[in-house]
Amino acid sequence: MPENDCLFCKIASGEIPSTQVFSNERIVAFKDIHPKAPTHLLVVPRKHIASLYDATEEDRDLLGEMLLVASQLAKESPNGENGGRFGFNCGPWGGQEVGHLHLHVMAGKKL
Ligand code: AMP
Ligand code: ZN
């Protein structure tokens, strides 16, 4: 199921290193390499899904789990109890640069 030449497939498999903060059978989360907040994480399914538009009914539970993992990681981060921002960039007009679904998690300052 991993897509050839997909950066986040390679990060999920460990082929490319990342600073991982969470991992289970379905999801990995790691620090964004260019953080835009004191906490800036990416929550990524191990399954290759190109974007939010490419998620289907089959991915319903996975999407829900991604949101719960994101919430938990933000809450546990420094000053995360004050809230955070959670976002999917989708497609060229949404500013998506990496073609593997990922949920941005930002926290740690007033955004
Ligand atoms: P997007 O614009 O939504 O596709 O966001 C892609 C994000 O991936 C950006 O915030 C990048 O800083 C981040 N990114 C790119 N390469 C890496 C990497 N090797 N490790 C961690 N984050 C990365
Ligand atoms: Zn991928």
Side-chain angles (χ1 to χ4, degrees):
M1 195 146 19
E3 190 102 332
N4 283 341
D5 290 327
C6 171
L7 176 62
F8 287 176
C9 280
K10 288 181 178 170
I11 286 181
S13 73
E15 189 182 333
I16 289 178
S18 69
T19 307
Q20 218 174 80
V21 297
F22 176 87
S23 172
N24 70 15
E25 284 173 17
R26 296 164 299 280
I27 290 169
V28 293
F30 50 89
K31 293 187 178 180
D32 194 294
I33 205 165
H34 295 126
K36 295 187 173 65
T39 296
H40 187 172
L41 306 174
L42 300 171
V43 176
V44 173
R46 291 184 183 278
K47 176 183 178 184
H48 181 84
I49 300 169
S51 78
L52 190 59
Y53 278 6
D54 296 285
T56 68
E57 186 60 36
E58 181 182 288
D59 304 312
R60 175 187 289 265
D61 286 353
L62 183 58
L63 292 171
E65 190 177 4
M66 286 173 67
L67 291 170
L68 292 173
V69 167
S71 168
Q72 192 63 38
L73 291 174
K75 272 189 221 172
E76 290 170 353
S77 69
N79 300 306
E81 68 275 12
N82 297 310
R85 187 170 292 168
F86 304 87
F88 293 96
N89 296 331
C90 181
W93 284 23
Q96 184 178 0
E97 290 181 356
V98 176
H100 180 131
L101 183 67
H102 51 280
L103 175 54
H104 289 265
V105 177
M106 288 178 223
K109 71 170 186 183
K110 196 165 192 309
L111 295 161

